[in-house]
Amino acid sequence: MGVRSWIEDWPLYRQLTGTDPLGRGAASKSARSRSLTARTETADSVAKSVCPYCAVGCGQRVFVKDGQVSQIEGDPDSPISRGRLCPKGSASKSLVTSPLRQTKVRYRRPYGTEWEDLDLDVALEMIADRVLAAREQTWEDADDEGRPLNRTLGISSLGGATLDNEENYLIKKLFTAM
């Protein structure tokens, strides 16, 4: 490497002699930085989503490469967050890709000290049995004055930012039908 090529490699020299006098473009890039690409540039597809953490409902863009989530960023089209995410939302990729993420149904029996793995069908049957038992135990046909109630106060539901109006309506209908 000669002195001339060494000096031409300096960003200041490129800034003073080139077409980038403010040093914000090509003059400021090194050979290494010119070869870099964004993590999102190589994604096969992009899906829009909503951050799962709180009830604000910040928009997210989920980048997928080879069938795996490669990056999650704020969605600039979101009227709520305008592309910005809080620290928890920014770290939501680890929620999906962490090797510590639970992928099996885990159950600890009442007064038990150990967790056990359950088959998904068994877990769903247990949930259905408990919903039916709670409904049966807390059902109210009428109040003290004989007015019809037809309700149970033994079942409740919590919503969140990831539920839209249609999903909330279907959940309400499900609980009304029970």
Side-chain angles (χ1 to χ4, degrees), residues 2-22:
V3 173
R4 181 178 177 92
S5 62
W6 181 64
I7 291 176
E8 287 174 351
D9 230 16
W10 284 3
L12 179 60
Y13 177 79
R14 289 194 309 268
Q15 181 180 345
L16 295 174
T17 60
T19 59
D20 186 15
L22 297 177

Side-chain angles (χ1 to χ4, degrees), residues 80-94:
I80 295 168
S81 59
R82 294 178 286 168
R84 297 166 186 87
L85 293 175
C86 70
K88 285 170 71 175
S90 297
S92 57
K93 179 185 174 218
S94 65

Side-chain angles (χ1 to χ4, degrees), residues 61-138:
R61 293 191 305 173
V62 180
F63 296 88
V64 179
K65 181 177 172 77
D66 301 328
Q68 302 289 322
V69 173
S70 61
Q71 183 68 20
I72 297 178
E73 294 184 352
D75 185 1
D77 296 334
S78 169
I80 295 168
S81 59
R82 294 178 286 168
R84 297 166 186 87
L85 293 175
C86 70
K88 285 170 71 175
S90 297
S92 57
K93 179 185 174 218
S94 65
L95 179 70
V96 179
T97 60
S98 172
L100 301 175
R101 180 181 182 192
Q102 291 294 327
T103 57
K104 298 178 183 176
V105 177
R106 306 281 287 161
Y107 177 68
R108 191 174 71 186
R109 298 191 182 278
Y111 306 105
T113 58
E114 300 294 323
W115 289 94
E116 58 184 277
D117 293 338
L118 289 183
D119 186 49
L120 181 60
D121 291 332
V122 172
L124 289 174
E125 284 295 323
M126 290 172 67
I127 292 168
D129 291 343
R130 290 174 184 185
V131 166
L132 293 175
R135 181 182 183 273
E136 186 177 323
Q137 291 169 2
T138 61

